[in-house]
Amino acid sequence: MPFEFQKTKISGVMIVKPRIFPDERGFFMETYKKSDFESAGICADFVQDNHSYSAFGVLRGIHFQKASHAQGKLVHAVEGSVWDVAVDLRPSSPTFKQWVGITLNSEEGTMLYLPPGCGHGFVVLSHTVHFLYKCTTEYAPQADGGIRWNDPDLAVAWPVDHPQVSEKDAALPFFSEVSL
Ligand SMILES: Cc1cn([C@H]2C[C@H](O)[C@@H](COP(=O)(O)OP(=O)(O)O[C@H]3O[C@H](C)C(=O)[C@H](O)[C@H]3O)O2)c(=O)[nH]c1=O
């Protein structure tokens, strides 16, 4: 099995560790295989791939798409490292409003799968990061949602004191104001 899957405290949020095959040329790893993911309970059909590039201290998120446009995401850093957060935004979930955070770096190739219904954000830990992710639904700006990164109810323990947040993200609503 080229992947190791690890559950987190949030239902459906899975840590995925690919098997790396190093040799004198460099390395090879599989970063997704439908049959292995389905065997681990991740039955996701990905329809869009994204790539973002950010500098140290940049914080993107906490974002989500609403209702039928809710996105499952398989995220990883292909160069550099981030501290990545999944927030459970499913009111019926026993871990509603809870979050998990994990460092994703390109050396280990560790990935995080977030099911639809989770908010997602990350802050860059390395000088720069190339961040790639697969999504289970296409971009739907009309369904865009977000929560302020430093929402006191969520109290996400970001490991960077003064992150660089875009004007748009700095103006996102607090959890108490959000319509899910
Ligand atoms: C997300 C997205 C954006 N765009 C366009 C819209 C804007 O003109 C530009 C930048 O978008 P945005 O500022 O929303 O990019 P991020 O702040 O990286 O947003 C993402 O960051 C957090 C961490 C996520 O998990 C989401 O995938 C996504 O919300 O790309 C597209 O054309 N397609 C897309 O799928």
Side-chain angles (χ1 to χ4, degrees), residues 56-57 59 123-125 149-150 156-165:
F56 171 76
L59 189 155
V123 66
V124 180
L125 300 175
W149 67 278
N150 56 354
V156 174
W158 299 98
V160 172
D161 290 337
H162 305 291
Q164 183 189 331
V165 179

Side-chain angles (χ1 to χ4, degrees), residues 32-91:
Y32 172 66
K33 184 177 275 182
K34 189 174 179 66
S35 58
D36 287 341
F37 275 63
E38 288 184 342
S39 300
I42 301 177
C43 301
D45 286 321
F46 296 107
V47 297
Q48 179 176 319
D49 285 357
N50 293 335
H51 178 171
S52 69
Y53 172 78
S54 307
F56 171 76
V58 165
L59 189 155
R60 295 178 185 252
I62 300 166
H63 299 159
F64 60 94
Q65 289 194 166
K66 297 179 182 177
S68 61
H69 297 283
Q71 288 178 314
K73 293 169 190 165
L74 178 64
V75 304
H76 74 292
V78 288
E79 187 176 279
S81 64
V82 302
W83 192 72
D84 201 81
V85 179
V87 182
D88 193 345
L89 300 177
R90 300 166 293 187

